[in-house]
Amino acid sequence: MTQSKKIAVFPGAFDPFTIGHENIVLRGLNIFDEIIVAIGINSEKNCCFTIQQRLEQIKAVFADVPRVRVDSYSGLTIDYVKQVGATHLLRGIRTSADFEYERAIAQVNKKMSGIDTAFLLTMPEHTPINSTIVRDILRHHGDASMFLPEKLRHLSL
């Protein structure tokens, strides 16, 4: 019996991609053979960085990690997961509120597709970091470098 390749999709807006996101992907590689960081296109969301900028930023972070792919999609995340042949969704959980929100989505996705979601708890030092806060620091020309992956520490708006 051949074992199939375990591929996870790590979806999000990633505006911007933080050290918390990076950590979830790198730790996820201990579980999955490949991870696709997938930027969901949401025209209603007011993003600071374009889809193309975010694709380039995340590709730069994982340039030396061949088991990580970066892509974008529109529509339902679960449809994208099926389209790329992924076996799992990957999500990071920072707080109990995150868990309740993500649990509901994971259960609906499982019901719709049979695809499971794997949750990784963020490292304690990354718990307060989220893209909204980092975006706000960048918008006000603050130094957000400590919250960004090394290859993105130059980011500014």
Side-chain angles (χ1 to χ4, degrees), residues 18-20 125-126 129 134 137 143-149 153:
T18 69
I19 57 173
E125 62 270 25
H126 297 153
I129 302 167
V134 176
I137 294 167
D143 180 6
S145 62
M146 70 184 81
F147 307 117
L148 298 169
R153 297 220 166 126

Side-chain angles (χ1 to χ4, degrees), residues 2 7 12 15 21-23 39 46-47 60 71-72 76 82-83 86 90 92 101 107 114 119 135 145-147 149:
T2 23
I7 302 170
D15 186 42
H21 296 130
E22 177 186 36
N23 183 263
I39 302 169
N46 186 16
C47 293
D71 197 7
S72 64
L76 291 177
K82 290 188 288 188
Q83 175 191 327
L90 174 63
Y101 175 76
Q107 289 173 327
F119 297 113
R135 250 193 332 270
S145 62
M146 70 184 81
F147 307 117

Side-chain angles (χ1 to χ4, degrees), residues 37-55:
V37 180
I39 302 169
I41 299 170
N42 181 347
S43 59
E44 295 173 17
K45 199 164 188 172
N46 186 16
C47 293
C48 287
F49 296 99
T50 67
I51 289 290
Q52 193 57 43
Q53 287 172 316
R54 287 179 276 158
L55 285 167

Side-chain angles (χ1 to χ4, degrees), residues 28-130:
L29 289 172
N30 293 321
I31 302 166
F32 299 103
D33 299 309
E34 182 179 344
I35 295 177
I36 303 168
V37 180
I39 302 169
I41 299 170
N42 181 347
S43 59
E44 295 173 17
K45 199 164 188 172
N46 186 16
C47 293
C48 287
F49 296 99
T50 67
I51 289 290
Q52 193 57 43
Q53 287 172 316
R54 287 179 276 158
L55 285 167
E56 289 170 11
Q57 291 163 4
I58 300 168
K59 283 178 183 177
V61 171
F62 297 109
D64 300 325
V65 187
R67 292 172 42 214
V68 175
R69 280 193 300 166
V70 184
D71 197 7
S72 64
Y73 69 96
S74 59
L76 291 177
T77 300
I78 204 64
D79 289 341
Y80 174 78
V81 170
K82 290 188 288 188
Q83 175 191 327
V84 297
T87 56
H88 294 80
L89 276 153
L90 174 63
R91 299 297 294 155
I93 301 288
R94 291 178 301 118
T95 65
S96 58
D98 282 356
F99 174 73
E100 289 302 324
Y101 175 76
E102 294 292 346
R103 178 190 52 78
I105 294 170
Q107 289 173 327
V108 168
N109 284 337
K110 176 72 173 174
K111 184 83 170 162
M112 290 175 65
S113 68
I115 292 173
D116 280 313
T117 300
F119 297 113
L120 288 179
L121 298 177
T122 58
M123 300 301 291
E125 62 270 25
H126 297 153
T127 299
I129 302 167
N130 68 49

